[in-house]
Amino acid sequence: MSPTTERITLAKAINLGMRRALEQDPKVMLMGEDIGKLGGVFRVTDGLQKDFGPDRVVDTPLAESGIVGTAIGLALRGYRPVCEIQFDGFIFPAFDQITTQLAKMHYRSRGRLQLPVVIRVPFGGGIGAVEHHSESPEVLFAHTAGLRVVSPATPGDAFTMIQEAIASPDPVLFFEPKGRYWDKAEVDLDAVGGGLDKARVARRGNDLTLVAHGPTVTTALKAAEAAAADGTSIEVIDLRSISPLDTATVAESVRRTGRCVVVHEAPVLYGTGGEVAARITEECFFHLEAPVLRVGGFHAPYPVARLEHEYLPSLDRVLDAVDRTLAV
Amino acid sequence: MSARPKTPRPPKSAAPCKDEDIALAFYRQMVLIRRFEERAARGYAEAKIGGYCHLNLGEEATVVGLMAALQPDDYVYASYRDHGYALARGISPERVMAELYGRTDGVSKGWGGSMHLFDVDARLMGGYGIVGGQVPLATGAALAVAHRGGAEAVLCQMGDGTTNIGAFHESLNLASLWDLPIVFVVSNNGLGMGTTVEGSSAEPDLFKRASAYRMASERVDGNDPVAVHAAALRALTHARSGKPFLLETVTERLKGHSVVDPAGYRTREQKAQLLAGDALSAYAARLTERAILTDDATREIDEAAMAAVDASVRFADASAHPATSTLFDYTYATAVPNDSRRLPGQPLFPAAARPGETMSEKAPA
């Protein structure tokens, strides 16, 4: 039988992935603000309440701490809740529940309690929004042991990774690149994935390794395309999981290329790029031809819409880092 | 998890207004806000306004009645639906529109945008983009007033959805426990984005929530500026005596949650009903009936509002965009050693000794 494929947006891919999880497991529940009748601000849960009912696709009051807290309670009694946080900057009332309870209860109970909770967070900029609506707070969670922090970059990965996240016995912070919600691709609806554990080589190359996740994977691919025109062969790695980090895939690549640039929208300071750079330095020190460079957001609050493209890692800034790395 | 029966709306009030000048002033401000918000929606569609844009359309009576009850040195904290509050607080439409346009002559120098209007001189201490973000902060401002024995009061405005967030309950408890001079105002327009009050609140009579904190409270017809004004005066008198107050103004949101929300959760009938019951038209009819408002005056007021709004658009259009080089200014209050100030293609941007003292316009050599 030939595989079923469909050309869909990243948002629709997540929707279909959740639909499949709801169909396959009666213990899966969706919770969030305006996710039911409205279908979510970005329409990611569109149509799910209509088909699975208001008891499984629950419109909650505006109460992030309450949403995540009750999801933990549900998970402790066998449910698999999937919470939607409306925007990245709205997650902080729930930060307490996530870092003090969700991340630690399995450890604290010495494995007697599992917490299969998924927290979906539309993150990143590029849509002309402002602070609280464009931020990339993924490392705040990556810094906490016990949480899995992942981000799909393509519709195909979005479809499989959301299902893997829901099936995971551990809590997963699922960061959705909202600027890519409307990107379309052919998605294999029979695919089973593997994205939660392993980084993806998005493009093969020999001269330099570009590491990205979520929204910047597309930027990295464009940079590789532009560099190819100049005769530079760039390998692009899509991390998929920020924590835990698949160091092996990145290290294998850097051992071949000798050069590495990490790109993300989150501020560079104390970010994913710093972690990747440290690990690469530890594992590939004698293969490195140049220091690992980072391209990302600045050490300033997320700016107004008009200036966000100065803040975000643009193609120019990525290529500039590529040039500087190659010049060493 | 079925929705509870719909909250009875308070009876339509038609509070007598003894002073015709005040009654007309309310009308003038309501029309200004109406025209301003309509123009803001257009500015958003024209991509002149970025970010998100939440309008006070339908809530003009509440906005005007509340702001008129304040003394000049009272403090206002508002939600992200804050344009009308800024205008009614006396901030010029030019500076508000420039802020929506993200320009340097805006109240927040273009860096706050629609949701974060600030004007410390007008004691508008911000709109807030996070639901409930303003509630503990306003409570803290009231604590500051109480601590130094000031005579000011704080008015903390929020939407109905805010009453379900933890910070609301923490703040009401603190305000009551510490006898703070603050009026919490819940502008109940019936919907938190697309979710009804009854569908999200176990006690949909929101003013009753105050009783959990032994706080006085009242519900008022938020579509009647005169009634809102009178209720706000009572609440503020109460607050100034060191007892917080919760005032619920029941009003309507004529359009979607934000400019980009088509409000698909409302039926065609509901939309028609909303327009038919529009508070601005109702108030105009009331004033006309009492011969306070003539046809000529209606025209004159409308034209004046349109002229003010047009002028605000011209002002906003002519104002400069913030320079990219100012992206790091104000991250810290003073120049911080080793602060990372980097811009595209440029190594470092040194900080001024005090932010804003010299705006760094170009990269160092």
Side-chain angles (χ1 to χ4, degrees):
Chain A
M1 205 173 80
S2 64
T4 322
T5 70
E6 205 176 320
R7 192 174 161 73
I8 52 174
T9 63
L10 193 144
K12 182 69 181 170
I14 296 169
N15 179 285
L16 287 182
M18 288 193 290
R19 173 175 290 277
R20 191 158 293 184
L22 283 161
E23 282 164 359
Q24 289 172 351
D25 186 348
K27 294 291 193 186
V28 171
M29 272 175 75
L30 311 190
M31 306 167 73
E33 297 156 10
D34 278 297
I35 66 164
K37 199 172 170 194
L38 188 71
V41 164
F42 294 102
R43 306 297 183 264
V44 177
T45 51
D46 195 32
L48 297 177
Q49 189 182 65
K50 187 164 90 40
D51 293 345
F52 296 94
D55 290 340
R56 291 191 70 198
V57 179
V58 183
D59 272 323
T60 66
L62 220 156
E64 287 84 4
S65 173
I67 294 167
V68 173
T70 50
I72 295 171
L74 282 163
L76 291 175
R77 303 314 302 154
Y79 284 86
R80 303 188 97 81
V82 181
C83 308
E84 175 177 297
I85 302 293
Q86 206 164 65
F87 280 94
D88 34 73
F90 300 0
I91 198 168
F92 298 105
F95 196 74
D96 174 25
Q97 297 292 337
I98 295 170
T99 55
T100 63
Q101 311 300 346
L102 185 62
K104 297 182 171 69
M105 288 194 75
H106 185 258
Y107 187 84
R108 190 190 293 153
S109 70
R110 308 317 295 163
R112 276 170 297 184
L113 301 172
Q114 288 197 345
L115 289 112
V117 176
V118 177
I119 301 173
R120 296 181 35 243
V121 190
F123 85 119
I127 62 163
V130 283
E131 60 167 318
H132 314 321
H133 297 73
S134 301
E135 292 156 9
S136 299
E138 62 271 26
V139 293
L140 300 180
F141 302 96
H143 200 67
T144 302
L147 301 173
R148 303 193 65 159
V149 182
V150 306
S151 180
T154 66
D157 271 354
F159 176 68
T160 52
M161 283 170 69
I162 187 66
Q163 293 179 71
E164 288 175 83
I166 295 170
S168 164
D170 288 310
V172 179
L173 272 289
F174 195 85
F175 281 91
E176 303 173 0
K178 71 168 93 76
R180 306 284 179 204
Y181 265 149
W182 303 279
D183 286 7
K184 276 190 171 181
E186 206 67 40
V187 172
D188 175 1
L189 298 178
D190 297 324
V192 287
L196 225 50
D197 300 321
K198 196 148 176 59
R200 174 178 72 100
V201 179
R203 180 186 170 114
R204 287 281 171 197
N206 307 312
D207 299 334
L208 183 146
T209 304
L210 259 182
V211 179
H213 67 267
T216 50
V217 172
T218 306
T219 319
L221 286 169
K222 283 181 185 159
E225 194 70 36
D230 293 339
T232 304
S233 162
I234 291 181
E235 180 145 310
V236 175
I237 293 180
D238 169 5
L239 287 176
R240 300 207 277 202
S241 175
I242 295 125
S243 178
L245 191 66
D246 175 13
T247 315
T249 299
V250 182
E252 187 281 322
S253 174
V254 177
R255 280 191 204 103
R256 280 187 289 106
T257 62
R259 290 178 162 87
C260 181
V261 174
V262 192
V263 189
H264 45 67
E265 288 191 10
V268 160
L269 262 66
Y270 311 101
T272 306
E275 182 61 31
V276 171
R279 292 198 195 190
I280 291 305
T281 309
E282 285 167 16
E283 299 212 3
C284 315
F285 187 69
F286 294 105
H287 294 83
L288 280 175
E289 306 280 349
V292 179
L293 292 189
R294 299 164 291 165
V295 184
F298 301 113
H299 193 56
Y302 200 89
V304 289
R306 172 72 57 165
L307 292 182
E308 74 170 331
H309 292 289
E310 303 287 355
Y311 179 93
L312 293 170
S314 62
L315 187 57
D316 281 350
R317 282 175 59 205
V318 175
L319 287 171
D320 179 62
V322 165
D323 286 347
R324 281 190 284 138
T325 309
L326 288 167
V328 176
Chain B
M1 300 187 193
S2 57
R4 281 150 212 281
K6 193 161 167 58
T7 319
R9 312 303 266 180
K12 282 259 178 277
S13 100
C17 188
K18 293 176 192 95
D19 190 326
E20 294 190 2
D21 291 340
I22 291 178
L24 264 181
F26 287 166
Y27 180 69
R28 253 177 219 286
Q29 278 198 332
M30 287 170 70
V31 173
L32 175 66
I33 295 169
R34 175 65 56 96
R35 300 293 168 248
F36 185 92
E37 295 292 59
E38 287 168 348
R39 191 62 185 75
R42 196 175 126 200
Y44 194 88
E46 293 168 349
K48 291 281 190 184
I49 297 172
Y52 288 93
C53 191
H54 310 82
L55 307 175
N56 285 121
L57 291 174
E59 302 179 356
E60 296 89 347
T62 285
V63 175
V64 165
L66 288 174
M67 293 300 97
L70 292 173
Q71 295 297 317
D73 56 357
D74 288 338
Y75 295 93
V76 181
Y77 286 74
S79 71
Y80 44 78
R81 205 178 295 285
D82 56 352
H83 310 168
Y85 291 94
L87 294 173
R89 191 65 179 146
I91 302 170
S92 78
E94 281 91 347
R95 293 177 64 223
V96 180
M97 191 62 88
E99 189 56 43
L100 304 193
Y101 272 48
R103 307 298 175 98
T104 48
D105 294 304
V107 280
S108 311
K109 299 186 180 183
W111 286 85
S114 162
M115 298 193 286
H116 295 113
L117 303 174
F118 278 91
D119 188 335
V120 178
D121 294 336
R123 301 218 163 175
L124 173 68
M125 304 305 283
Y128 288 80
I130 295 288
V131 169
Q134 74 275 32
V135 188
L137 279 55
T139 307
L143 179 59
V145 171
H147 209 264
R148 59 176 159 72
E152 309 97 309
V154 178
L155 188 144
C156 177
Q157 180 273 340
M158 70 197 86
D160 44 78
T162 311
T163 61
N164 294 316
I165 208 142
F168 169 81
H169 298 276
E170 295 178 28
S171 301
L172 262 67
N173 185 53
L174 289 174
S176 194
L177 190 67
W178 293 341
D179 299 326
L180 302 182
I182 182 166
V183 177
F184 299 100
V185 178
V186 178
S187 311
N188 180 355
N189 62 26
L191 283 171
M193 196 165 280
T195 301
T196 61
V197 169
E198 295 75 21
S200 62
S201 304
E203 173 51 273
D205 290 344
L206 300 178
F207 70 102
K208 290 183 183 165
R209 295 194 164 200
S211 65
Y213 308 102
R214 294 197 173 178
M215 190 186 293
S217 67
E218 186 182 336
R219 171 184 268 175
V220 65
D221 177 5
N223 291 340
D224 178 354
V226 180
V228 172
H229 180 236
L233 283 175
R234 286 194 294 276
L236 283 161
T237 304
H238 199 84
R240 285 185 221 283
S241 77
K243 290 285 170 193
F245 197 95
L246 177 65
L247 179 64
E248 179 187 2
T249 64
V250 180
T251 176
E252 303 285 0
R253 194 184 74 205
L254 285 185
K255 299 279 185 176
H257 168 71
S258 73
V259 178
V260 291
D261 172 17
Y265 38 80
R266 276 176 174 154
T267 63
R268 194 182 295 266
E269 292 73 38
Q270 281 173 325
K271 287 178 187 174
Q273 235 170 23
L274 268 177
L275 289 175
D278 175 26
L280 181 61
S281 318
Y283 187 57
R286 222 172 94 198
L287 296 185
T288 308
E289 199 176 293
R290 292 177 198 182
I292 297 174
L293 188 65
T294 60
D295 285 353
D296 281 351
T298 310
R299 201 174 315 111
E300 180 267 311
I301 287 170
D302 212 51
E303 282 168 6
M306 285 306 288
V309 171
D310 286 345
S312 78
V313 168
R314 281 196 301 278
F315 179 85
D317 248 334
S319 177
H321 286 286
T324 305
S325 56
T326 60
L327 199 145
F328 296 97
D329 292 349
Y330 303 105
T331 304
Y332 295 104
T334 54
V336 177
N338 308 320
D339 178 18
S340 173
R341 295 166 64 91
R342 285 173 188 278
L343 271 177
Q346 297 163 339
L348 271 178
F349 259 83
R354 281 213 304 271
E357 218 165 50
T358 54
M359 288 291 190
S360 34
E361 287 302 334
K362 49 181 190 285

